[in-house]
Amino acid sequence: MNKDLPIIALDFPSGQEALSFLDQFNETLNVKVGMELYYAEGPALIKAIKQRGHHIFLDLKLHDIPNTVKRAMSVLAHLEVDMVNVHATGGQDMLEAALKGLTQGTPEGKKRPLIIAVTQLTSTHPEDLFKEQGVEESLEANVLRLAKLTKDSGLDGVVCSALESTMIKEEVGRDFMTITPGIRLEDAKADDQTRVLTPIKAKQAGSHYIVVGRPITQADNPVKAYHNIAFQWQSAF
């Protein structure tokens, strides 16, 4: 995937809508296919997006017993997407099994997809950790602990809020990737996201990739909105 480009979240209910959206662009994109779209369309959509030359982050957030995740990752590897993910809270055995399955399933001569782990969703409010998850440590401490666990398990990086990227870089290492959704422009609606930053601030915080959905897909002019966000992302330092 191209780190100089945002990842567009294709949060559409059908493959036809997703492909129609993509056909507005005359360039190679980084795109994210999540659960709604993949469960509706399956591998056929992945093939159609690949035929258009785009890079794909398959965002299924696997979280199950280690053997199940290992087998699932082996299957997903055959799709030859560029990035996949799991939930870090599945634990080290599951994380290591996911990496092993992905490696074993990658076709000979092909590059293994990047594999990252979700720490806490960007919709999670700090109070939710204690009230709903029974976690007594702070949100920042929890994210950092899960990031360290992910690195120790051999994965490439984590999904986190851009607000946590700097902390992870300092404590886990600058080469350990942070993929950050919850990106919004100044004065834009946060929607159901809680922990958000602008593209410029996300880059300054150390994010390797940003994931942007509704600010692009629901814009009056998606191509213009995309280029605006891409410009901000590329020009930040």
Side-chain angles (χ1 to χ4, degrees), residues 202-218:
K203 173 65 77 65
Q204 292 170 342
S207 297
H208 279 83
Y209 293 95
I210 55 172
V211 180
V212 188
R214 285 164 285 193
I216 296 173
T217 59
Q218 295 184 11

Side-chain angles (χ1 to χ4, degrees), residues 65-132:
I65 62 172
N67 191 55
T68 296
V69 172
K70 177 183 175 182
R71 289 174 178 267
M73 278 296 177
S74 181
V75 172
L76 294 180
H78 288 281
L79 297 177
E80 298 183 31
V81 296
D82 301 274
M83 185 186 293
V84 294
N85 64 354
V86 295
H87 267 290
T89 50
Q92 187 162 3
D93 286 349
M94 190 205 78
L95 295 172
E96 291 177 348
L99 176 59
K100 187 174 183 178
L102 188 66
T103 301
Q104 291 177 345
T106 299
E108 187 175 354
K110 298 291 185 178
K111 184 178 179 181
R112 172 182 65 77
L114 296 170
I115 178 169
I116 59 177
V118 177
T119 53
Q120 288 290 340
L121 302 174
T122 49
S123 59
T124 301
H125 191 278
E127 294 180 358
D128 296 339
L129 280 185
F130 178 73
K131 290 182 179 179
E132 299 179 4

Side-chain angles (χ1 to χ4, degrees), residues 119-122 143 159-166 168 178-182 194-197 207:
T119 53
Q120 288 290 340
L121 302 174
T122 49
V143 168
V159 180
C160 63
S161 166
L163 293 166
E164 293 127 17
S165 285
T166 299
I168 290 172
T178 53
I179 292 81
T180 57
T194 298
R195 305 186 331 274
V196 301
L197 278 184
S207 297

Side-chain angles (χ1 to χ4, degrees), residues 33 37-51 56 58 60 75-76 78-81:
V33 175
L37 190 53
Y38 185 76
Y39 293 156
E41 303 291 346
L45 177 65
I46 301 300
K47 182 178 180 180
I49 295 174
K50 286 184 61 180
Q51 287 176 338
I56 303 172
L58 185 57
L60 300 183
V75 172
L76 294 180
H78 288 281
L79 297 177
E80 298 183 31
V81 296

